[in-house]
Amino acid sequence: MRTEIASLGEFGLISHLTDHIQVSNPSTIKGIGDDAAVLEYKEKEVLITTDLLLERIHFDLTYVALKLLGYKAAISGFSDIYAMNGQPKQLTVSIGVSKRFSVEDLEEFYMGIEYACERYGVDIVGGDTSSSLTGLTISITCIGEADKDKIVYRNQAKNTDLICVSGDLGSAYMGLQLLEREKAIHQDEKEFTPDFAGKEYLLERQLRPEARKDIIDSLSKNNILPSSMIDISDGLASELLHICKQSNVGCVIYEERIPIDYQTAMMAEQFNMNLTTVALNGGDDYELLFTVPLALHEKISQIEGIHLIGHIVDAEEGTHLVTRDQTQIPLTAQGWNPVSMEEEEGEEEKE
Ligand code: ADP
Ligand code: MG
């Protein structure tokens, strides 16, 4: 079934998509329906983050279902709030849509957003809707809260701190490579139905990522306050360099400690890509990268899903990766072997 957006009009569309949306957080005083949402954050600090997603720059609807796109768009906002050691509470969704899209398409998109919000305890409290001449434009703003003395910035990493990372790296990037390859192979077919058996994890990481609320919660439960933190959306190397630059420190990480999943390794081999380069530079991981004081070594080692990959050093010592054969290589945002990342062109403009 296809219902044209024009048949509902702007107001009809907004109420069709949002009438059933309910709010549940005590900090949400007024959600959708007035000129502005009203929030009340008593003694907490308020965190705000925005993402702009443009069709064909940030997503490709050939292989991304709108429901998954909605889910991922919301998750990426939550991830930014967790990276400040906060908890996301509200979300606004703004969309510019061309005639190519039907009311049913937008229903799918909202289903994905609502499902993510439900799972993470976030209220949808507003947005804006406009027609557009081409494609789909999405802007998501996420609002969260944190205790003032618990907010974790990028600029407080100290010499001797341990460098930690959650989950595994590079899998979402390999998922994207896989989708791009299948798209090229199947481009003449009407339906995009490639066989992804045995590669489900990579696809899941690319198409349906999760934000690491669980890591934030277990750090807090264990009374561990990171000295600095960032979420990994542009690759480990680039994010670690952000922390080092803003904290005015250097770092050493060890190639053999970078967590990589089996399917990622298999896929990198098939694609003839350097696995470490993939893990250092692949985007969309949504894992957390953080530093903790050395004194917390034992405590942090015991938390499941967290990997110690190196430590912070003085700024003068620079930023390095120690390879498996014990060679020190300068860490750069493009990785230490940029040649094999050439295929990433276009990705680089993504922010
Ligand atoms: P205004 O003219 O003040 O921009 P709108 O008519 O655009 O108001 O929006 C009416 C209400 O619906 C507001 O509460 C707004 O936040 C909400 N809203 C509009 N578009 C969306 C959307 N795409 N998703 C969620 N809420 C929306
Ligand atoms: Mg409006």
Side-chain angles (χ1 to χ4, degrees), residues 10-11 14 18 32-35 93 95 110 126-129:
E10 183 192 328
F11 298 127
I14 295 174
T18 64
I32 292 169
D34 214 310
D35 297 304
V93 188
I95 47 174
Y110 269 80
D128 203 17
T129 307

Side-chain angles (χ1 to χ4, degrees), residues 199-257:
K199 306 182 181 78
E200 295 84 356
Y201 180 67
L202 303 178
L203 294 178
E204 195 181 298
R205 293 280 289 175
Q206 172 57 228
L207 296 175
R208 195 186 176 289
E210 298 291 356
R212 298 312 303 262
K213 175 180 172 54
D214 57 330
I215 296 288
I216 293 305
D217 291 347
S218 69
L219 288 175
S220 142
K221 221 170 60 203
N222 286 280
N223 267 316
I224 296 174
L225 186 64
S227 47
S228 69
M229 185 153 56
I230 189 168
D231 72 327
I232 305 182
S233 46
D234 294 331
L236 172 66
S238 154
E239 315 297 5
L240 185 52
L241 291 173
H242 282 308
I243 286 188
C244 288
K245 193 168 176 203
Q246 293 198 25
S247 300
N248 193 27
V249 294
C251 67
V252 180
I253 58 169
Y254 298 89
E255 184 181 21
E256 63 192 8
R257 301 233 186 133

Side-chain angles (χ1 to χ4, degrees), residues 84-85 147-153 156 161 216 218-229 290-293 296 299-300:
M84 301 299 291
N85 200 31
D147 291 328
K148 190 173 191 161
D149 55 348
K150 299 277 167 61
I151 298 180
V152 178
Y153 296 90
Q156 297 296 316
D161 279 357
I216 293 305
S218 69
L219 288 175
S220 142
K221 221 170 60 203
N222 286 280
N223 267 316
I224 296 174
L225 186 64
S227 47
S228 69
M229 185 153 56
F290 56 95
T291 56
V292 297
L296 294 176
K299 226 173 172 185
I300 195 86

Side-chain angles (χ1 to χ4, degrees), residues 44 61 76 80 97 100 169 196 199 217 223 245 258 263 275 285 288-289 307 313 318:
K44 303 264 185 181
L61 292 172
S76 110
D80 282 325
V97 227
R100 215 177 88 224
L169 301 176
F196 291 124
K199 306 182 181 78
D217 291 347
N223 267 316
K245 193 168 176 203
I258 299 175
Q263 286 188 13
L275 185 54
D285 285 319
L288 293 169
L289 170 69
H307 309 270
V313 296

